[in-house]
């Protein structure tokens, strides 16, 4: 600067420029920690990120569980640039689809109904991440009420539950829909008829 006499000059900070905003990633629950966004870019400072709008850091935010997350971001200006305003982007981790198999049907004695008891001790959850826990309930019915061996049982109305239920949903296809069980014939006890002897005087009529 060339001046005449004495003067005071001020150089004000420039405004930072976000040249590329963070982009939400397409995510599905895996049981592992995942980055929620791709990194943005800025000129004149450092991009910082936060999941609560208060605590910011330069590392990309991560999450594990399925759900919707709001990622806040701003640029912390350097010595020659001002801080930017806070912006945000919404990111979702979708529930993982799983399949159910291994449901068993219990044999029973003929009772004139199609009702059946299902067993869930050997259920397999296809797609469940290691360490997670799921349970399932369902309804089942024999195709008819008649006695028979290895009769078909229809399975419907699957319902997931368990400590990890928030991260899973039932897949649209691939679910178990049938099982086999036997209805055995019902044994009917014959009544016992006690006979006693009687003596009659002949009168020409049948006794």
């Amino acid at each position: 600067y060339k001046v005449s006499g004495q003067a005071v000059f001020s150089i004000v900070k420039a405004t930072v420029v976000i040249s590329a905003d963070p982009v939400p990633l397409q995510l599905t629950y895996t049981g592992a920690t995942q980055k929620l966004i791709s990194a943005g870019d800025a000129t004149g400072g450092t991009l910082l990120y936060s999941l609560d709008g208060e605590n910011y850091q330069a590392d990309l935010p991560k999450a594990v569980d399925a759900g919707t997350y709001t990622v806040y971001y701003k640029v912390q200006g350097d010595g020659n640039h001002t801080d930017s305003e806070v912006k945000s982007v919404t990111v979702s981790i979708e529930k993982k689809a799983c399949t159910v198999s291994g449901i068993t049907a219990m044999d029973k004695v003929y009772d004139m109904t199609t009702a059946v008891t299902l067993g869930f001790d050997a259920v397999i959850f296809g797609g469940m991440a290691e360490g997670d826990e799921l349970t399932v309930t369902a309804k089942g019915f024999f195709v008819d009420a008649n006695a028979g061996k290895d009769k078909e049982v229809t399975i419907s109305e699957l319902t997931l539950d368990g400590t990890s239920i928030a991260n899973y949903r039932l897949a649209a296809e691939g679910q178990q829909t049938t099982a086999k069980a036997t209805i055995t014939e019902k044994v009917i006890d014959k009544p016992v008829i006690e006979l006693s002897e009687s003596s009659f005087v002949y009168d020409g009529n049948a006794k």
Side-chain angles (χ1 to χ4, degrees):
Y1 304 94
K2 185 177 181 181
V3 299
S4 176
Q6 185 178 23
V8 176
F9 292 87
S10 295
I11 300 177
V12 298
K13 291 184 178 182
T15 302
V16 295
V17 176
I18 298 178
S19 52
D21 286 301
V23 176
L25 300 176
Q26 301 297 316
L27 303 171
T28 299
Y29 174 78
T30 64
T33 301
Q34 302 182 82
K35 293 179 180 179
L36 297 174
I37 58 174
S38 63
D41 194 18
T43 301
T46 304
L47 264 169
L48 301 178
Y49 309 93
S50 171
L51 287 176
D52 59 11
E54 295 181 3
N55 301 299
Y56 286 83
Q57 59 183 15
D59 294 335
L60 292 176
K62 300 176 182 178
V64 176
D65 294 328
T68 300
Y69 298 85
T70 299
V71 177
Y72 302 90
Y73 62 97
K74 66 180 180 179
V75 179
Q76 185 179 61
D78 56 23
N80 294 316
H81 295 82
T82 59
D83 294 348
S84 73
E85 63 179 358
V86 175
K87 294 184 178 181
S88 65
V89 63
T90 300
V91 188
S92 293
I93 298 180
E94 301 296 333
K95 293 183 177 183
K96 188 174 185 180
C98 72
T99 57
V100 175
S101 61
I103 298 174
T104 57
M106 308 300 179
D107 296 340
K108 73 170 187 175
V109 177
Y110 173 75
D111 61 2
M112 298 185 297
T113 74
T114 59
V116 64
T117 300
L118 298 178
F120 305 99
D121 292 341
V123 168
I124 298 171
F125 296 97
M128 184 174 67
E130 184 177 355
D132 284 353
E133 294 182 2
L134 290 174
T135 60
V136 68
T137 57
K139 291 185 177 180
F141 296 94
F142 282 102
V143 291
D144 60 60
N146 299 324
K149 185 177 181 180
D150 292 333
K151 294 177 65 70
E152 184 171 295
V153 172
T154 59
I155 297 174
S156 61
E157 298 186 37
L158 297 172
T159 303
L160 286 179
D161 204 348
T163 57
S164 303
I165 182 61
N167 293 317
Y168 292 91
R169 63 178 178 83
L170 287 168
E173 298 179 350
Q175 306 299 343
Q176 181 180 353
T177 58
T178 62
K180 297 284 187 180
T182 296
I183 300 178
T184 56
E185 296 178 349
K186 185 175 183 178
V187 178
I188 300 177
D189 294 331
K190 295 181 180 180
V192 177
I193 301 175
E194 294 184 358
L195 302 177
S196 61
E197 295 182 1
S198 296
S199 297
F200 299 94
V201 177
Y202 174 76
D203 59 7
N205 297 314
K207 303 296 184 182

